[in-house]
Amino acid sequence: MTTLKEFEEALRENGMLMALAVLERLRERDRATRTVKPGRRIVGKKMTPELAREILDMHAATEMTQQEIAFKLGVNQGRVNEVIKRGKWLSGDQAAPEAVARDKGKARIRGAEPKRPRKAAAKDKAARPAKRPTTAQLAFGDL
């Protein structure tokens, strides 16, 4: 298929200046009506077992993609994937791994959860002498 640039080059080669002028006028008209819109930002809803079941119903009943389902329901596409592939969020159990991870993340954001202390193992390694290898190593003078 011929591109617009190739078409323009062909017009120049054949000396069709009037056609080039018409093409340029059309471009100017398009630039004048073109607007720049800000990107869409989807504010996600809180995932609930009911919303997860609705995602599964839409996935089974329609030929919609995960992204289309996410736009329709107003959730993140990654959450739709988690529901479909791994069955997450289907139980209302607060002890479910995804609910625990969500609560920990929220606590971290609020600053309620103290930062984990660094492991003391790094300090212990510096204090201990290095282990000697158990296998014998030959030197040039040994032979």
Side-chain angles (χ1 to χ4, degrees):
M1 179 174 244
T2 305
T3 63
L4 186 59
K5 190 167 192 143
E6 291 172 338
F7 178 66
E8 190 176 350
E9 289 171 4
L11 290 176
R12 274 200 189 92
E13 287 174 5
N14 292 318
M16 301 179 139
L17 300 177
M18 289 300 290
L20 284 169
V22 169
L23 187 61
E24 186 58 35
R25 225 174 323 158
L26 290 172
R27 280 188 180 148
E28 286 174 8
R29 186 191 68 192
D30 289 344
R31 283 188 201 118
T33 59
R34 189 180 306 161
T35 59
V36 177
K37 295 181 181 178
R40 290 193 330 182
R41 176 86 174 123
I42 304 291
V43 177
K45 292 181 185 175
K46 181 178 177 182
M47 279 301 294
T48 61
E50 294 78 29
L51 190 57
R53 284 186 192 81
E54 192 174 344
I55 289 170
L56 286 178
D57 291 342
M58 288 181 77
H59 180 69
T62 65
E63 291 293 319
M64 294 173 74
T65 64
Q66 290 180 4
Q67 191 169 21
E68 291 168 337
I69 293 171
F71 282 139
K72 185 126 179 134
L73 297 177
V75 296
N76 185 311
Q77 191 255 329
R79 295 287 175 244
V80 174
N81 184 299
E82 287 177 346
V83 170
I84 292 171
K85 299 287 184 193
R86 296 181 188 86
K88 284 188 170 186
W89 306 104
L90 290 174
S91 69
D93 184 18
Q94 292 298 320
E98 59 272 10
V100 171
R102 178 197 62 215
D103 295 340
K104 280 185 181 178
K106 285 183 176 180
R108 226 180 4 258
I109 290 170
R110 285 191 303 260
E113 184 179 304
K115 292 184 179 179
R116 288 182 271 160
R118 294 185 182 248
K119 293 184 180 178
K123 292 178 184 176
D124 292 341
K125 286 183 182 178
R128 280 188 256 149
K131 291 184 180 179
R132 292 188 177 181
T134 56
T135 59
Q137 187 173 1
L138 293 176
F140 283 114
D142 291 345
L143 295 176

